[in-house]
Amino acid sequence: MDGKLEKFSLKRDVGLIGAVSLVAGTMIGSGIFMSPQSVLINIGSPGGSLVIWATCGLLAVLGSLCYAELGTVIQESGGEYIYILRTSGPVLAFMLIFTSVTFVRPAGVAGISLSFAEYAVAPFYQDCPAPELVVKCVAAAGIVLTATINCLNVRFAMSVQVFFMVAKVLALSVIIISGVVLLIRGENASFEDSFKGTNVGINPIGIAFYQGLWSYDGWNNLNYVTEELKRPGVNLPRAVMIAIPMVTLLYLLVNVSYLAAMTPRELMSSSAVAVTWGNKVLGSWGWVMSIAAALSAFGSLNGTFFSGGRVCFVAAREGHMPDILAMAHVNRLTPSPALIFTTAISLLVLIPGDFQSIVNFFSFTAWFFYAITLSGLLYLKIKKPELPRPYKVPIVIPILVLLAAIFLVLAPVIDNPAIEYLYVTLFILSSVLVYVPFIHYKICPGLLEKLTVFLQLFLEVAPADKNI
């Protein structure tokens, strides 16, 4: 009535507790229950595996500090995408979003959902492996349920995230306390000459890092939702410095407990470490660990969906994705079209999904773009030191993380070349073939116009402004 239009945008509903839960709750997922045997197989010794886990945690802490500075300088949602767009230009940013939307993010969702499904059905197939069709159907149900939660309400999704974070920390605490009891009883055979048999080749170390870092994936989750974070200049660095060291300590102690209960050979031969541990330590109550692992993976899936939908949303807002994906529900204020799109692609990736290959290729592509993002931070620190920075890190930290990212991208390729890495590289470069005609020259601009209008009315969504 007064001639003013109310600003329509996503609301800042994520406080410090929600932020910590989003980071820690996404990190503590399926990885700590599935990756320990893969890390041990590749590195070859218990001592070496603990060093890998600790180093992965340190890398996640340093990386998150770099991202905290980026998030306080560029206070927009979108994570790597928006940082690359602002520092390196639209072509590299589109290469990221094309790869992320069609491969990296759906692969991550599929991997976590498969982990959730394997543990959820394990109690019903104690004497034999669960049928692949059953596992994938349960995984698909988990994806659809998580998407529904995130489409309904931001605060509800955050409440679910907080609940599952508390539950999984309690579950890991049970494992840790039981491990302490075993060590007090003298169950420490796995730690005698613990570095014997360590593989020091570049490829096994790189693959071990990939498997370990899978468990730390989510350390950068908060940067995807900066516009929905209360007081981002304060809460962003504070949340990551609470969440990531806590998760690193939990992971180290959980691995010690695994090795106290099982010999390295038993751990390496286990297809579900937490279940094997539960059967040995908890006896008839071992099935509880299957449920705990499934709940943990579901909480991680929820956090991944919460942040992943925002990447599509921001990219569409910048003109790199269809307009419908930049819209939010007029009542619930959630980016439901982007979430539905992420769900559809994830379900497609799930069909041929294999957990180990998903982890390796996910890590390869993710760290490639992390390296570009960190290069952007160095550019801002050197060329634009006058920009306001509520939080700053010493320049040596992004340099160290950048070197680690380059190692993680190049080491496995150089030491053990595989044709799959070439396929992934060609896939990333192929995004230029889409960018030039459809984004740069805007060929067929009205191609999706009628479909956009129909979906806008059907889904009850409207374009949302930036919340900065």
Side-chain angles (χ1 to χ4, degrees):
M1 296 295 292
D2 58 3
K4 294 182 180 179
L5 293 175
E6 183 181 354
K7 184 179 179 181
F8 181 71
S9 61
L10 304 183
K11 302 302 180 185
R12 293 190 182 274
D13 283 334
V14 182
L16 180 61
I17 294 176
V20 171
S21 299
L22 186 60
V23 177
T26 305
M27 290 172 68
I28 305 173
S30 57
I32 189 60
F33 299 100
M34 295 187 75
S35 292
Q37 75 269 34
S38 301
V39 173
L40 188 56
I41 288 169
N42 283 286
I43 202 65
S45 69
S49 71
L50 292 176
V51 170
I52 291 291
W53 282 99
T55 308
C56 287
L58 177 62
L59 184 59
V61 169
L62 296 180
S64 68
L65 292 177
C66 297
Y67 272 52
E69 178 171 338
L70 275 168
T72 54
V73 175
I74 305 171
Q75 294 192 10
E76 298 179 59
S77 295
E80 293 86 18
Y81 167 76
I82 204 69
Y83 304 146
I84 292 174
L85 180 65
R86 300 289 180 249
T87 59
S88 304
V91 177
L92 281 175
F94 183 79
M95 291 173 69
L96 165 62
I97 198 63
F98 180 82
T99 309
S100 175
V101 167
T102 58
F103 181 77
V104 176
R105 183 64 58 170
V109 169
I112 298 169
S113 66
L114 285 172
S115 305
F116 158 72
E118 287 175 11
Y119 279 108
V121 303
F124 304 100
Y125 296 93
Q126 295 185 358
D127 299 323
C128 63
E132 184 179 5
L133 180 61
V134 172
V135 171
K136 289 192 174 181
C137 286
V138 173
I143 290 174
V144 172
L145 177 59
T146 311
T148 304
I149 291 171
N150 280 271
C151 285
L152 289 176
N153 185 274
V154 171
R155 289 186 179 178
F156 178 54
M158 276 293 96
S159 299
V160 170
Q161 192 67 14
V162 172
F163 170 80
F164 278 102
M165 189 199 72
V166 173
K168 63 183 72 177
V169 169
L170 290 175
L172 293 182
S173 299
V174 170
I175 296 176
I176 291 168
I177 293 170
S178 301
V180 170
V181 172
L182 291 173
L183 290 173
I184 292 173
R185 291 179 180 175
E187 302 285 346
N188 57 2
S190 297
F191 302 101
E192 296 175 1
D193 199 9
S194 59
F195 287 91
K196 183 179 179 180
T198 302
N199 297 321
V200 292
I202 294 177
N203 187 60
I205 291 175
I207 297 299
F209 265 112
Y210 276 178
Q211 296 295 335
L213 287 167
W214 166 261
S215 302
Y216 286 94
D217 182 51
W219 57 267
N220 56 341
N221 241 21
L222 209 51
N223 294 77
Y224 296 121
V225 297
T226 308
E227 293 174 35
E228 295 170 76
L229 181 64
K230 299 174 182 176
R231 301 172 64 209
V234 175
N235 285 334
L236 181 55
R238 186 177 292 174
V240 296
M241 285 310 298
I242 293 172
I244 301 175
M246 175 185 74
V247 171
T248 302
L249 180 61
L250 287 172
Y251 280 2
L252 283 170
L253 294 176
V254 166
N255 273 280
V256 168
S257 180
Y258 286 157
L259 290 165
M262 294 177 274
T263 65
R265 186 176 297 277
E266 286 177 324
L267 199 152
M268 286 189 286
S269 63
S270 172
S271 60
V273 177
V275 175
T276 305
W277 181 93
N279 291 334
K280 288 199 69 172
V281 176
L282 303 179
S284 60
W285 285 89
W287 59 271
V288 172
M289 293 314 302
S290 294
I291 303 301
L295 293 177
S296 181
F298 186 83
S300 181
L301 187 63
N302 183 65
T304 302
F305 248 99
F306 187 89
S307 60
R310 272 64 180 174
V311 181
C312 282
F313 174 81
V314 173
R317 197 171 61 186
E318 297 292 336
H320 285 179
M321 295 286 287
D323 291 342
I324 186 65
L325 300 182
M327 299 185 187
H329 195 277
V330 293
N331 295 319
R332 300 189 179 98
L333 298 179
T334 57
S336 50
L339 291 166
I340 293 169
F341 179 78
T342 302
T343 303
I345 302 295
S346 299
L347 291 173
L348 287 175
V349 173
L350 181 66
I351 295 171
D354 171 68
F355 182 75
Q356 294 303 324
S357 62
I358 283 174
V359 172
N360 292 337
F361 294 138
F362 170 81
S363 300
F364 172 78
T365 52
W367 282 94
F368 173 76
F369 288 110
Y370 292 161
I372 297 175
T373 305
L374 292 164
S375 300
L377 175 59
L378 291 174
Y379 167 79
L380 291 176
K381 292 179 81 69
I382 295 169
K383 295 293 186 180
K384 298 188 176 182
E386 74 282 358
L387 291 175
R389 286 173 167 82
Y391 179 81
K392 293 176 66 175
V393 293
I395 196 168
V396 67
I397 292 180
I399 291 173
L400 288 174
V401 182
L402 176 60
L403 292 173
I406 293 171
F407 168 79
L408 287 167
V409 171
L410 295 181
V413 180
I414 294 173
D415 193 61
N416 186 22
I419 193 67
E420 288 82 1
Y421 293 121
L422 176 61
Y423 294 155
V424 172
T425 304
L426 291 175
F427 181 78
I428 294 173
L429 294 175
S430 70
S431 61
V432 177
L433 300 177
V434 180
Y435 176 82
V436 172
F438 296 108
I439 306 300
H440 184 71
Y441 289 108
K442 301 186 185 301
I443 294 176
C444 303
L447 186 64
L448 298 176
E449 187 174 333
K450 289 184 178 180
L451 179 61
T452 300
V453 172
F454 168 75
L455 290 175
Q456 186 175 354
L457 294 171
F458 179 73
L459 297 174
E460 298 181 354
V461 295
D465 297 322
K466 292 182 181 180
N467 191 12
I468 54 176

